[in-house]
Amino acid sequence: MRIAVVIPERCEPKSNAYDYLKKWSQMCSKECIIVEGKLVKISEHACPPCIVRAKLCPDDAVKIINLPEELETDMMHRYSLNGFRLFRLPTPSKDSVVGILGPNGMGKSTAVNALSGRLIPNLGDWKGEADWDAVIATLPRGELRDFLIEVKEGRISVAVKPQNVDRLPQRVKGRVGDLLKKVDERGLYKELTEGLGIAHLLDREIGQLSGGELQRMAMGATLLRDADVYFLDEPSSYLDIYERMRIVRIVQELAAERRVIVIEHDLAVLDVLADLVHIVYGNKGAFGIFTPARSTRTAINAYLDGFLLEQNVRIRDKPITFLGHKDRKVEAGAPMVSWGDLEKQLGTFKLEAKEGAVHRAEVVGVVGPNGTGKSTMIKMLAGELEYDAGWVSAGAKISYKPQHLDLDMDGTVQLWLDSELGPRWRSGEFNVNVIRALGVDQLLPKRVRKLSGGERQCVAIAICLGREADVYLLDEPSAHLDASARMEAAKAIRRTMEANEKAAFVIDHDVYFIDIVSDSLLVFEGEGGVHGRAEGPFELREGMNRFLSGVNITFRRDHESKRPRINKSESRKDREQRKAGDYYSYSA
């Protein structure tokens, strides 16, 4: 089974790809390649020479992909002749939280639209009229078939929490409390606002909320609706680990009485939240394939390994590995930047930091609750914010990637890279270890304004790492990235620091990301919005133990993948580790 996919934004008139395809469209008597005005088509039954020509199209504007023949009967939806295809659907399950795990651009949103009834799958017949009866007839008897029958008959109501909560202030105006009261169909307004920790925000205007506050408001607005199925798209984004665990408890309580499907890229959260997980794999923007649901542990380990045994498919060139044996203690070279007795007052908030330093070739993970001064500390080290007392060593050149990427640029990604880094990004180790590893090479002709949040994040990380500096400061680099991209970003940061003997500070809330990227930890404690205190840096295990004891959760290691796993509260392993003071165990 062959599919041909055309990337429209790379085949616009006057582009290299458009001119190339127009030239070859005139060289074959068959209608293999058709270019008419703005329209570009590639026939999937084209003659062999034209298939080769399409494969060689500039800027990767055309993708020719061979798929197993058996997938022909599993195609659920196709957008156009050369558009995206979706194979199979996930299954909402009663009394279970069903997770979806896979890269962005694989059709998760299409699947959610189909299961919610917003989209009737066309089974690949993009010219014909989609029909629920035809869809249902293709499915074997079981939970998914029964569910879609209910969808067809209008007996399923759906509530969807959107992915990009940072865009909500552009769509919704007014006070938080007014919005939540308006959608309170379950009569749980007081209970949920207190459970989500947003009772103090009810009189606040929506436009004044931070990313984490918007996320919790969006969760509240979704869960207050009276629905049969809840689709929660990235519910942990912008939240610290305290808030993530609070969301886990609320969602699991909901799943006891309603169907819940969660799209989540934080694997530690997904591991403890979901009962079953569908892996979705494929080719970004071209096709996506949902696997049957499997147990959460099995699914995550298979995803990290990059090989799906039942399907006999490799979805990644190399497995994602974790170091589970001992601390990664770097040789203490010369300090790259140091500080002492720092104090900063911002309104009613006060930040304090004792003496500390980061050394050559060291990556310091920065962890702690939201609102305790992590970004403030980084900005003081970067020289973007003056401190009231204390000292910071002078002389270190800083490269800084901020938390929020506010860009007003109309050019291409290639122009953005050229303006920031010059020609050095185009070749050498940096091109291989950062540009290609993060997939930035696939984004070069794309306009910056049209980048998704994850794509913009990858380019911003690459630019930060590509600048000539002594210390690299990255604030929440995992935000908007899918699970695979997070791991690649973590490895790219480590490789850059080790290869160039530089130092980095990395603020993040994803424990897997912190585990892969960090040699040591700077731990923030205190009360969000009131006071913060920076302690460390500590060795990784000591810092994690200090941090997690405050969060009141324990981690063990998976005996196969060596990845950190959250213990269920009051389980035997949880009690044993608490008693031993071992909140971040290196044993299974």
Side-chain angles (χ1 to χ4, degrees):
M1 177 183 179
R2 177 195 294 151
I3 65 174
V5 179
V6 174
I7 312 300
E9 61 266 26
R10 299 182 185 179
C11 284
E12 294 177 347
K14 298 183 179 180
S15 66
N16 293 333
Y18 182 91
D19 292 342
Y20 172 88
L21 293 171
K22 188 172 184 179
K23 168 189 168 185
W24 287 113
S25 70
Q26 301 165 357
M27 304 293 285
C28 182
S29 58
K30 301 178 182 179
E31 292 189 338
C32 297
I33 301 174
I34 302 172
V35 180
E36 297 174 347
K38 295 182 178 181
L39 185 65
V40 176
K41 294 182 180 178
I42 309 292
S43 170
E44 291 167 354
H45 304 288
C47 63
C50 283
I51 288 294
V52 172
R53 292 161 183 161
K55 284 182 178 180
L56 298 175
C57 183
D59 299 329
D60 291 319
V62 176
K63 298 180 180 181
I64 305 294
I65 303 163
N66 293 318
L67 294 177
E69 291 298 325
E70 60 265 26
L71 283 178
E72 284 189 7
T73 59
D74 290 336
M75 188 184 296
M76 295 303 298
H77 194 73
R78 176 177 181 173
Y79 281 98
S80 63
L81 173 65
N82 298 130
F84 181 85
R85 288 119 166 127
L86 179 68
F87 297 88
R88 308 192 190 112
L89 289 172
T91 305
S93 182
K94 293 180 179 178
D95 303 320
S96 299
V97 177
V98 176
I100 296 177
L101 173 59
N104 292 323
M106 297 293 170
K108 294 191 287 290
S109 296
T110 301
V112 169
N113 286 335
L115 293 175
S116 64
R118 296 177 180 177
L119 168 75
I120 303 176
N122 59 26
L123 302 179
D125 182 10
W126 57 277
K127 288 184 176 179
E129 186 174 342
D131 177 56
W132 273 122
D133 289 330
V135 175
I136 292 166
T138 65
L139 299 173
R141 293 185 182 276
E143 202 165 12
L144 179 58
R145 182 188 177 113
D146 294 342
F147 178 82
L148 291 182
I149 290 173
E150 291 185 84
V151 171
K152 173 203 167 188
E153 295 174 351
R155 292 190 283 123
I156 292 290
S157 58
V158 173
V160 180
K161 188 206 76 69
Q163 177 187 36
N164 298 312
V165 295
D166 50 338
R167 297 178 185 173
L168 287 177
Q170 302 167 16
R171 303 174 184 172
V172 185
K173 306 295 181 184
R175 296 188 311 139
V176 174
D178 293 338
L179 168 67
L180 296 181
K181 284 179 181 177
K182 187 177 181 180
V183 298
D184 183 18
E185 299 169 354
R186 299 174 64 202
L188 297 176
Y189 175 81
K190 188 173 187 297
E191 180 181 334
L192 264 178
T193 53
E194 291 178 355
L196 290 166
I198 56 175
H200 66 291
L201 301 175
L202 300 179
D203 292 326
R204 192 94 61 85
E205 291 290 324
I206 293 172
Q208 298 173 344
L209 300 184
S210 67
E213 291 166 345
L214 285 169
Q215 182 69 270
R216 285 180 287 159
M217 182 199 73
M219 283 294 294
T222 305
L223 301 184
L224 283 171
R225 292 184 57 196
D226 188 12
D228 299 299
V229 187
Y230 294 82
F231 293 101
L232 308 177
D233 198 345
E234 296 189 36
S236 75
S237 295
Y238 299 107
L239 302 182
D240 62 38
I241 194 165
Y242 300 84
E243 294 161 344
R244 293 181 186 203
M245 295 310 297
R246 183 160 48 192
I247 292 293
V248 166
R249 289 190 290 271
I250 291 172
V251 172
Q252 287 178 333
E253 289 173 3
L254 175 68
E257 53 185 73
R258 310 292 173 102
R259 294 183 178 103
V260 180
I261 290 185
V262 176
I263 300 169
E264 181 54 68
H265 298 307
D266 184 329
L267 297 184
V269 170
L270 183 67
D271 190 20
V272 73
L273 173 61
D275 302 293
L276 299 168
V277 170
H278 291 273
I279 295 174
V280 58
Y281 67 96
N283 191 306
K284 184 176 180 180
F287 71 95
I289 303 170
F290 279 91
T291 67
R294 58 192 83 188
S295 71
T296 302
R297 178 181 174 273
T298 302
I300 292 178
N301 282 353
Y303 182 78
L304 293 173
D305 185 53
F307 181 71
L308 306 180
L309 183 63
E310 293 85 349
Q311 287 74 35
N312 192 28
V313 170
R314 179 155 292 283
I315 60 174
R316 189 179 301 104
D317 294 336
K318 295 181 291 184
I320 296 170
T321 57
F322 292 83
L323 302 180
H325 305 296
K326 58 183 179 179
D327 276 325
R328 285 156 285 184
K329 181 63 178 175
V330 295
E331 293 296 327
M336 300 292 282
V337 65
S338 54
W339 63 90
D341 301 322
L342 284 177
E343 292 184 10
K344 180 63 181 179
Q345 189 80 36
L346 291 170
T348 59
F349 173 77
K350 184 176 183 180
L351 172 64
E352 299 174 294
K354 298 178 181 177
E355 287 194 16
V358 59
H359 301 82
R360 190 176 298 277
E362 181 181 12
V363 179
V364 178
V366 183
V367 296
N370 281 332
T372 52
K374 298 185 298 296
S375 297
T376 299
M377 176 82 172
I378 291 295
K379 288 178 180 177
M380 288 194 293
L381 296 180
E384 290 201 357
L385 194 62
E386 292 290 332
Y387 41 88
D388 300 330
W391 55 272
V392 174
S393 61
K397 192 174 180 181
I398 303 292
S399 177
Y400 175 48
K401 186 205 79 68
Q403 178 182 11
H404 299 291
L405 305 172
D406 297 322
L407 299 169
D408 186 20
M409 181 179 180
D410 194 34
T412 63
V413 170
Q414 183 170 320
L415 180 63
W416 188 14
L417 289 168
D418 284 336
S419 64
E420 292 280 356
L421 304 179
R424 67 179 299 267
W425 66 269
R426 295 174 176 272
S427 59
E429 287 188 5
F430 179 76
N431 184 272
V432 174
N433 293 336
V434 179
I435 297 294
R436 295 185 191 175
L438 295 177
V440 175
D441 58 319
Q442 302 296 314
L443 305 174
L444 297 179
K446 200 166 183 178
R447 304 199 79 78
V448 174
R449 287 184 177 176
K450 293 187 177 181
L451 294 178
S452 68
E455 291 169 341
R456 185 174 293 199
Q457 187 74 267
C458 285
V459 180
I461 292 169
I463 287 173
C464 178
L465 296 178
R467 296 190 188 110
E468 290 291 342
D470 302 305
V471 179
Y472 296 81
L473 310 177
L474 297 103
D475 198 342
E476 294 201 38
S478 79
H480 301 296
L481 300 184
D482 60 54
S484 181
R486 290 181 184 201
M487 306 310 161
E488 290 299 333
K491 290 189 287 185
I493 294 168
R494 282 197 65 81
R495 282 194 297 258
T496 301
M497 299 310 116
E498 291 169 355
N500 301 324
E501 294 192 331
K502 305 296 186 180
F505 286 90
V506 179
I507 299 175
D508 216 277
H509 297 301
D510 186 326
V511 172
Y512 280 29
F513 189 90
I514 287 292
D515 184 86
I516 289 177
V517 80
S518 305
D519 297 298
S520 53
L521 281 189
L522 185 63
V523 180
F524 279 72
E525 300 169 348
E527 182 180 354
V530 180
H531 65 88
R533 184 177 62 258
E535 301 282 357
F538 304 102
E539 291 183 6
L540 181 61
R541 189 173 185 182
E542 180 186 356
M544 275 295 194
N545 272 324
R546 179 163 186 152
F547 169 53
L548 294 175
S549 64
V551 183
N552 200 29
I553 60 175
T554 60
F555 277 80
R556 69 190 186 280
R557 291 279 170 169
D558 184 80
H559 63 271
E560 289 182 7
S561 64
K562 306 303 179 188
R563 62 185 172 90
R565 300 188 69 194
I566 299 175
N567 291 316
K568 290 187 177 180
S569 180
E570 296 303 318
S571 66
R572 179 180 60 81
K573 191 72 175 177
D574 181 58
R575 293 195 306 269
E576 288 176 356
Q577 288 183 219
R578 288 177 193 276
K579 186 176 180 180
D582 187 13
Y583 285 80
Y584 196 66
S585 178
Y586 280 149
S587 60

